[in-house]
Amino acid sequence: MCAALPPASSDPNDEACLTQLSQTLRDPLKNLQNWTKSTFANPCSGFTSYLPGATCNNGRIYKLSLTNLSLQGSISPFLSNCTNLQSLDLSSNSISGPIPQDFQYLVNLAVLNLSANRLEGEIPPQITFCAYLNVIDLHDNLLTGQIPQQLGLLARLSAFDVSSNKLSGPIPTSLGNRSGTLPKFNATSFEGNKDLYGYPLPPMKSKGLSVLSIVGIGLGSGLASLVLSFTGVCIWLKITEEKMAAEEGKVGQLMPDY
């Protein structure tokens, strides 16, 4: 007779990860009603998940997909406790705040999709430590600053999109003009950032005046000055001539006739 196996206990890291994430996210439409403390204590049974939006692999959370749920709040840095996480998709919500630097500890992460939210701040260069990343989708947020040069070191990166943010500065050559057999990213991955420039985006339109415009303005102002000066001289000569004629008339009246 075989003894019954004891019920599987959850990984304490996963429990902490889910608990903290639920505390920083707001769920106004109550889409995550099963996200409770009791469920966090045992979210997985082998490959079975008891949490909506979570996928399990061998008793660990390896995928979170909470898309288009009208979620608000921010992303907890303790999400990094889900060390077995391979895919994180929080797209199409209203999540704000920064992208946590602690994502660097998600060393198994391959897919990161935080698009269509209200995320702010800079893209943390620390996510380069997620060496297995092959998808980074951050489009349609409020991200600022420059694109980290280090992201070009992600050799597995095959999909990259930071369009429609507030990014600035040059596009790293390691991303905009990748060499060898590395996947290339076209302009659509970067467009919609007013102050972002460099290949593969088209050249920025000059905000200043062109040389021809400056020369034209110079010539025009020079010609106008010349005309005004000439007109002034003519007026001065006319006034002087009239004054002289008047003086001659006065002298003629004072001189006696002989």
Side-chain angles (χ1 to χ4, degrees):
M1 182 176 177
C2 296
L5 293 174
S9 59
S10 70
D11 187 282
N13 289 327
D14 284 358
E15 183 177 359
C17 161
L18 297 169
T19 300
Q20 293 292 333
L21 183 62
S22 68
Q23 290 176 356
T24 59
L25 288 179
R26 295 196 301 272
D27 179 24
L29 301 185
K30 307 300 180 184
N31 289 308
L32 303 178
Q33 290 188 9
N34 289 345
W35 279 56
T36 60
K37 186 175 181 180
S38 58
T39 311
F40 298 154
N42 190 20
C44 297
S45 177
F47 294 91
T48 302
S49 168
Y50 302 116
L51 287 175
T55 305
C56 297
N57 182 12
N58 198 26
R60 295 290 309 275
I61 299 289
Y62 94 102
K63 182 178 180 180
L64 281 176
S65 181
L66 306 176
T67 67
N68 199 25
L69 297 176
S70 299
L71 298 177
Q72 302 172 2
S74 60
I75 303 173
S76 170
F78 291 98
L79 185 60
S80 60
N81 283 332
C82 286
T83 53
N84 204 48
L85 197 65
Q86 297 179 29
S87 178
L88 176 63
D89 189 349
L90 302 177
S91 62
S92 301
N93 287 291
S94 297
I95 302 171
S96 57
I99 299 173
Q101 296 181 5
D102 288 17
F103 275 9
Q104 63 180 303
Y105 301 116
L106 296 173
V107 294
N108 294 304
L109 194 64
V111 176
L112 177 62
N113 188 351
L114 305 177
S115 62
N117 278 288
R118 298 175 182 173
L119 296 173
E120 303 165 331
E122 299 185 354
I123 301 172
Q126 290 86 350
I127 62 176
T128 308
F129 290 107
C130 304
Y132 293 106
L133 272 174
N134 57 65
V135 174
I136 297 179
D137 191 351
L138 307 175
H139 81 268
D140 198 10
N141 276 287
L142 303 172
L143 299 172
T144 55
Q146 297 190 7
I147 300 173
Q149 296 274 352
Q150 298 92 321
L151 294 185
L153 300 175
L154 293 169
R156 298 171 182 259
L157 194 62
S158 59
F160 182 76
D161 192 348
V162 291
S163 61
S164 300
N165 277 282
K166 296 182 177 182
L167 298 170
S168 59
I171 296 173
T173 304
S174 55
L175 285 173
N177 192 17
R178 306 184 95 191
S179 58
T181 58
L182 295 175
K184 307 290 191 297
F185 307 123
N186 58 29
T188 58
S189 294
F190 306 97
E191 63 190 9
N193 294 279
K194 186 177 65 171
D195 296 319
L196 192 65
Y197 60 89
Y199 187 83
L201 290 176
M204 294 181 70
K205 294 182 179 180
S206 176
K207 296 180 180 179
L209 295 172
S210 66
V211 174
L212 290 177
S213 299
I214 294 172
V215 171
I217 291 172
L219 289 175
S221 60
L223 181 60
S225 298
L226 183 60
V227 171
L228 289 173
S229 298
F230 180 75
T231 303
V233 170
C234 291
I235 294 173
W236 180 80
L237 289 174
K238 180 69 175 176
I239 294 173
T240 303
E241 183 180 353
E242 291 176 352
K243 285 183 177 180
M244 290 178 66
E247 292 295 331
E248 288 178 359
K250 290 179 182 179
V251 173
Q253 292 175 2
L254 295 172
M255 291 293 290
D257 294 331
Y258 289 97

